Amino acid sequence: MNTHTIDTDTPVISADAYDTAAFFTGSEAIAVVTNTTAPDAVPLPSPDASTAELLFAAQEAGRRAVPAPFTETALVARPLLRRAGLPVPDGPLSYAIAPELTIRYAHPAASPVGSAGCLGDDDTLLITGTLHRVPWARAAGAVVVLATAPSGPVLFTLDPDRAALTPGANLAGEPRDDLHLAPLEIPASRVRRIPRELLEEAEHRAALGRAALMAGAAERCVELTVAHTTARVQFGRPLSHFQAVKQEEARLIEEAALVRAAVQAAATPLDTGGPAAHFAVAAAKTQASASAAEIARIAHQLHGAIGITQLNPLHLATTRLWSWRDEDGDETDWALRLARSVTAATLWPALTTKP
């Protein structure tokens, strides 16, 4: 078992010391923020851990607002590289699903049909275009890119230092950078032709990883809100003793439980793949994104004004929920995919069959 750990007792970064840039100045940053020796620490899964173990760790990372590309590395990039037969680099990784890139073969093969570069003597690629809002690109040692070449789907690894980077961030301050490739040659040793099923798996892994982070952030909202309403006294008694507050807390706990259950239910189907994986992942991300607004609303309402300040840790969870809600597909996108994936003959078995 890997000795790297996540402390489950207190956040890695306190609200008044939070500074994304300070933790991402080198490739070793992911180790800096996740290696702790707290008594209640939970070991990070080993590289060959099951999906269920990875999802549990992702929820912990989301709960503690760990400023590192954990799901991008452990749940998306590393498994995809193994599936494609490429070496897995050490350190933090990121990913990009980029159908909009312009790709040609750098060493064109003679062909009586098609434009120059549509066939190649080898798989060396010439890439032009922009990868938009790549998670943690500035901190990643490599970005795993899935795109479509003239021959079909390909997966390749990109060194972010070889691209022109335009820094960006989501609402929570997490890096979401644009990488401009104009043009860039990717050697054949870094390229693999892949089946279309792997493209779908990449989307599933990205969406489920994001949903797992949201499940952790939702749990953190519950913890902080219950603690606040228990400690805060108004009109001579704790806020939690008021019936209206109890009702809102119950709704908050319900929404968080829905997200957690949906994520856990998708672990086994993701490993097996196929229609079951698509259904389970679509349901999980739909539920997580749909619940995000209500969870954040209730948490902030019960905290009052203190909840929106930088001095209170609630914003570390809620700004992530608002950001992650839209990333890797929002509830509308995944609900449409979910609806298209079922028919009258398959809906009932999908709802009633235990994974």
Side-chain angles (χ1 to χ4, degrees), residues 334-354:
W334 280 104
L336 287 172
R337 297 193 198 193
L338 184 62
R340 295 188 186 113
S341 69
V342 297
T343 65
T346 61
L347 178 58
W348 184 248
L351 292 174
T352 58
T353 301
K354 185 177 181 180

Side-chain angles (χ1 to χ4, degrees), residues 23 79 98 126 134 150 171 182 221 228 238 265 267 296:
F23 288 88
L126 196 63
V134 179
L171 187 62
C221 287
H228 176 76

Side-chain angles (χ1 to χ4, degrees), residues 6-201:
I6 293 178
D7 172 17
T8 60
D9 189 28
T10 56
V12 172
I13 305 175
S14 62
D16 57 352
Y18 183 72
D19 181 3
T20 299
F23 288 88
F24 290 94
T25 56
S27 60
E28 72 285 355
I30 191 170
V32 172
V33 297
T34 60
N35 289 0
T36 67
T37 56
D40 297 328
V42 175
L44 288 180
S46 60
D48 58 350
S50 68
T51 300
E53 290 177 295
L54 292 174
L55 289 174
F56 173 78
Q59 289 180 58
E60 279 300 320
R63 188 177 78 84
R64 301 187 60 247
V66 172
F70 176 77
T71 58
E72 290 84 353
T73 301
L75 264 166
V76 184
R78 286 179 178 173
L80 292 178
L81 288 172
R82 293 191 194 99
R83 287 285 307 276
L86 283 171
V88 180
D90 293 330
L93 304 172
S94 189
Y95 66 89
I97 301 173
E100 70 279 4
L101 289 179
T102 300
I103 301 180
R104 301 171 62 189
Y105 286 105
H107 306 143
S111 174
V113 296
S115 59
C118 66
L119 294 175
D121 287 330
D122 58 25
D123 284 340
T124 302
L125 301 178
L126 196 63
I127 312 292
T128 305
T130 299
L131 300 175
H132 296 283
R133 296 185 63 79
V134 179
W136 305 100
R138 73 191 71 167
V143 176
V144 176
V145 182
L146 296 99
T148 302
S151 61
V154 293
L155 180 150
F156 60 88
T157 56
L158 169 69
D159 182 352
D161 292 337
R162 297 185 62 202
L165 187 148
T166 300
N170 63 16
L171 187 62
E174 296 179 305
R176 297 294 184 264
D177 305 320
D178 289 348
L179 296 177
H180 306 283
L181 320 173
L184 185 65
E185 184 174 301
I186 307 295
S189 60
R190 287 184 165 221
V191 179
R192 291 293 184 274
R193 303 187 189 197
I194 59 173
R196 293 196 178 275
E197 291 76 15
L198 196 57
L199 279 175
E200 186 175 74
E201 181 181 336

Side-chain angles (χ1 to χ4, degrees), residues 201-227:
E201 181 181 336
E203 292 183 336
H204 290 166
R205 287 186 171 278
L208 187 57
R210 200 66 60 196
L213 290 171
M214 295 175 74
E219 182 181 349
R220 185 63 172 157
C221 287
V222 171
E223 293 173 353
L224 293 172
T225 301
V226 171

